[in-house]
Amino acid sequence: MSTTTHHTIWVAYGPTGVVGTVRKDDDGYTVMMAGAAASAGTYPTMEIAKRALHARMRPGSDWPQFREH
């Protein structure tokens, strides 16, 4: 018998498409920028993770739209 754990992921969309993701896992909320080879960090709350993702976008970028998948 096995147990499957599902983790929620939010995709962040900017004006030109996907800019990154935030994934909820056992350690917190992990930010991954589109095209990056490594995560941009794990944060204790979704709001902090969203701010961290936005901070890594091009300066002056609008706030991305986050959609849960």
Side-chain angles (χ1 to χ4, degrees):
M1 189 164 156
S2 66
T3 302
T4 302
T5 303
H6 295 280
H7 297 291
T8 305
I9 187 167
W10 292 265
V11 178
Y13 295 91
T16 59
V18 175
V19 294
T21 62
V22 176
R23 179 181 303 272
K24 171 69 172 116
D25 56 32
D26 295 335
D27 296 325
Y29 296 83
T30 301
V31 173
M32 186 70 135
M33 300 306 292
S39 80
T42 300
Y43 303 90
T45 70
M46 179 64 172
E47 287 307 311
I48 294 171
K50 285 179 177 180
R51 287 187 216 128
L53 186 146
H54 184 244
R56 286 171 175 75
M57 292 172 63
R58 181 174 294 183
S61 294
D62 289 334
W63 187 261
Q65 180 182 35
F66 291 89
R67 294 186 201 153
E68 186 176 345
H69 287 265

